[in-house]
Amino acid sequence: MSARAAAEVLLRQLTGREPDGVWSAPGRANLIGEHTDYNEGFVLPFAIEHRTYAAVARRDDGVVRVASTFDENPVQAPLAALPTLFDRPGHGIPEWASYPLGVAWAALAKTGVDPAGLPGVDIAIASDVPIGAGLSSSAAIEGAAASALNDLWELGLSGLDLAKVGRVAENDAVGAPTGIMDQVASMLGRADAATFLDCRTLATESVDLGFDAEGLRLLVIDTRVTHSHATGGYRERRDACERGAAAMGVPALRDLLPDDLERARGLLDDVTLRRVRHIVTENQRVQDTVRTLRGRGPRSIGGLLVASHASMRDDFEISTPELDTAVDAALEAGAIGARMTGGGFGGAAIALVEGDAVERVADAAARAFARRGFGAPRTFTVTPSRGAGRDA
């Protein structure tokens, strides 16, 4: 059963009626630009074909109820309680339900709409976004719920507004301190294109990738190594970036250029210098990737992907032996370029490959993992796809 069908079936079981509509939003992959978002820099993510679906029906009793294939127990709240639902810590709402209910809470806060004038809703959620591979299943839930409520409640919010609503929900309702890249990619995606995002101004541009015309595929090599941000590595990287920016006298590392790194050598200790160097050079690589895609096409970006991985491995030190093995195996098997993607300390690598080389590269990664004594990776392709909205 497809995820869309599962959402519709769940809604029928919940309400005994057909949905008033089905909305969906995609997960995302990041082509290049890691840890640049919270440094007010540049990123180049794209929406993928894997989506979360929200089948929705209106209610006439002033209640918002959410159900999911993730959990057999629906969660509900009165519309009148939404404005203060997440105003206190320890609100007691399950994490999965905090995403759609958090979106409702954040949307009302942003628009100032009186909930007394809104219809209640039942929202049934199902997803085919792979969990644990760093493809932002959370932003997909937020995007599907936000798109549905925006239409049904006639809030008039733009795609970027809905991305902001999703970020507030994730930061303040769920308690995950993410940037806005995931939500922007999920809301604004376009087929065979990436979204070039300036994380300071939130200005966006759609950038044609040209994978289809060139017969290229993007292979995800999920190492199945669980992200371990809780160990403090992620926080340490953020702290180092903040120290580096303060020492260099700039509001954020976004304000430094590669030419500034020589001055940085005289001001920063070795570890902080390397952290800063990754952010500065990664911002440049994102911009170079956009120019290269527009000028010479996707076959010319391989070196930038490889350089990005080397910087994350050596300067930012967020790679793992499994991620390095995935990247090396893909390149040795003929990938145009490869890099780890996501926050690091586990997760997945991506490889840009010829369409007829997908199986060869995936097999090479599996053999390399076996030789190293690692557990078998999970491999699958992702396709740059449309963003969130109502399904036909």
Side-chain angles (χ1 to χ4, degrees):
M1 184 186 298
S2 70
R4 173 176 173 157
E8 293 175 333
V9 166
L10 181 60
L11 185 78
R12 292 188 196 103
Q13 292 172 343
L14 190 68
T15 67
R17 52 171 294 199
E18 295 297 314
D20 291 319
V22 178
W23 287 259
S24 69
R28 68 97 189 95
N30 193 22
L31 186 62
I32 194 166
E34 301 299 350
H35 289 262
T36 48
D37 55 348
Y38 57 80
N39 289 288
E40 301 184 14
F42 302 98
V43 291
L44 191 64
F46 60 89
I48 61 176
E49 72 273 33
H50 303 281
R51 305 179 75 83
T52 293
Y53 294 83
V56 185
R58 293 178 179 86
R59 299 171 60 111
D60 58 9
D61 61 354
V63 168
V64 176
R65 180 170 56 166
V66 294
S68 170
T69 56
F70 317 139
D71 189 329
E72 63 183 16
N73 299 308
V75 178
Q76 67 181 46
L79 274 168
L82 284 180
T84 58
L85 192 62
F86 294 100
D87 284 356
R88 58 182 175 81
H91 46 68
I93 297 170
E95 181 174 302
W96 73 265
S98 294
Y99 289 101
L101 290 176
V103 161
W105 168 72
L108 293 182
K110 184 170 184 63
T111 59
V113 170
D114 182 356
L118 300 175
V121 289
D122 280 307
I123 304 175
I125 296 169
S127 181
D128 62 16
V129 180
I131 302 296
L135 299 177
S136 198
S137 55
S138 59
I141 296 173
E142 293 155 6
S147 297
L149 295 176
N150 189 47
D151 288 351
L152 290 173
W153 288 348
E154 299 180 351
L155 300 178
L157 296 173
S158 68
L160 184 57
D161 287 335
L162 294 176
K164 294 176 182 177
V165 163
R167 178 179 59 177
V168 170
E170 189 146 350
N171 290 174
D172 298 336
V174 180
T178 62
I180 200 171
M181 175 182 73
D182 296 351
Q183 291 83 4
V184 166
S186 184
M187 290 303 309
L188 302 184
R190 187 169 62 82
D192 204 21
T195 301
F196 179 38
L197 170 64
D198 180 333
C199 294
R200 170 174 286 172
T201 67
L202 300 186
T204 61
E205 297 177 40
S206 186
V207 179
D208 290 335
L209 291 171
F211 291 172
D212 286 347
E214 293 291 331
L216 301 178
R217 302 299 303 275
L218 201 74
L219 178 69
V220 176
I221 306 170
D222 178 9
T223 68
R224 299 181 184 261
V225 175
T226 303
H227 294 265
S228 54
H229 294 170
T231 63
Y234 188 88
R235 180 71 257 176
E236 187 278 333
R237 300 315 184 273
R238 292 195 67 149
D239 289 346
C241 292
E242 292 168 6
R243 288 196 307 272
M248 294 294 290
V250 294
L253 295 183
R254 141 68 174 272
D255 298 298
L256 299 180
L257 299 174
D259 288 348
D260 293 311
L261 291 174
E262 185 60 39
R263 179 169 66 92
R265 289 186 181 91
L267 295 173
L268 307 177
D269 63 83
D270 177 67
V271 170
T272 305
L273 173 64
R274 287 187 288 114
R275 306 297 188 249
V276 168
R277 184 165 58 201
H278 166 70
I279 299 302
V280 172
T281 58
E282 186 80 344
N283 273 324
Q284 187 63 55
R285 280 186 289 270
V286 174
Q287 296 173 84
D288 289 345
T289 299
V290 171
R291 282 191 288 268
T292 301
L293 285 167
R294 288 172 167 166
R296 295 184 310 210
R299 293 180 184 276
S300 299
I301 67 171
L304 291 161
L305 301 182
V306 173
S308 175
H309 183 77
S311 181
M312 289 185 285
R313 181 192 64 211
D314 301 334
D315 278 350
F316 224 59
E317 296 183 286
I318 56 173
S319 189
T320 65
E322 292 87 351
L323 286 166
D324 294 340
T325 298
V327 168
D328 292 344
L331 294 173
E332 289 169 6
I336 292 168
R339 61 184 284 272
M340 62 151 283
T341 186
F345 310 102
I350 55 172
L352 184 61
V353 303
E354 301 286 353
D356 59 4
V358 169
E359 187 173 346
R360 182 177 75 242
V361 174
D363 288 346
R367 291 194 303 271
F369 272 54
R371 287 195 300 270
R372 295 287 303 274
F374 301 147
R378 174 175 55 164
T379 55
F380 52 92
T381 58
V382 290
T383 302
S385 301
R386 67 180 176 90
R390 185 167 185 163
D391 283 40

